Each structure stands twice: as C-alpha cells, then as structure tokens.
Amino acid sequence: MRQGIVRRVADLALQIEPDRAAVLDWILHSPLPALDGQTTFELACDGQGERVVALLGSLLRQGDPALPRI
C-alpha cells in the first residue's frame, strides 16, 4: 500500500522528534521559512509535500537533532 505524503513526512519527523503530539503540532502549525513560510500541511495540500520530505531527509543525513524552524 502506498503511503500518503503527510504520513511519510510524519514518519521522517518522528525520527527527529519522538513525541507524536509535537510532530502533529509541527505539521499543522509551524511555518517553514525555508519553504515559503508555509506549514507542512499547507505544502502537502498544494502538492508540494515532497519538498518537506527532501528537507527532513537532508536534516537526517546531516544528523540535525531538531525539527526545522528555518
């Protein structure tokens, strides 16, 4: 079964922040200045969720310990 983009983002974010409530809040409410100031949810709804996946993947490869508030 194919995973939706928000689920893929959540799975990556949970590798950075294990608190599910914090990840959900981040997805819904945290604007990402590096991604035009939109939230992850807004980007996903606009068909641009892969940009968040790429950002989180990059952070995980670099070993960055925090969800982006860039």
Side-chain angles (χ1 to χ4, degrees):
M1 178 196 284
R2 187 168 171 249
Q3 287 187 333
I5 192 67
V6 174
R7 177 58 183 226
R8 288 178 52 214
V9 167
D11 287 345
L12 288 170
L14 285 166
Q15 293 178 45
I16 297 169
E17 170 55 66
D19 181 341
R20 289 183 180 274
V23 168
L24 179 60
D25 184 65
W26 177 79
I27 288 170
L28 295 175
H29 303 291
S30 294
L32 303 172
L35 298 178
D36 305 323
Q38 293 181 296
T39 66
T40 296
F41 187 73
E42 291 169 330
L43 289 162
C45 289
D46 287 342
Q48 299 181 54
E50 289 296 333
R51 293 175 68 197
V52 182
V53 169
L55 176 65
L56 292 175
S58 174
L59 292 173
L60 285 165
R61 284 188 298 278
Q62 293 173 17
D64 195 314
L67 288 175
R69 302 226 187 251
I70 336 175

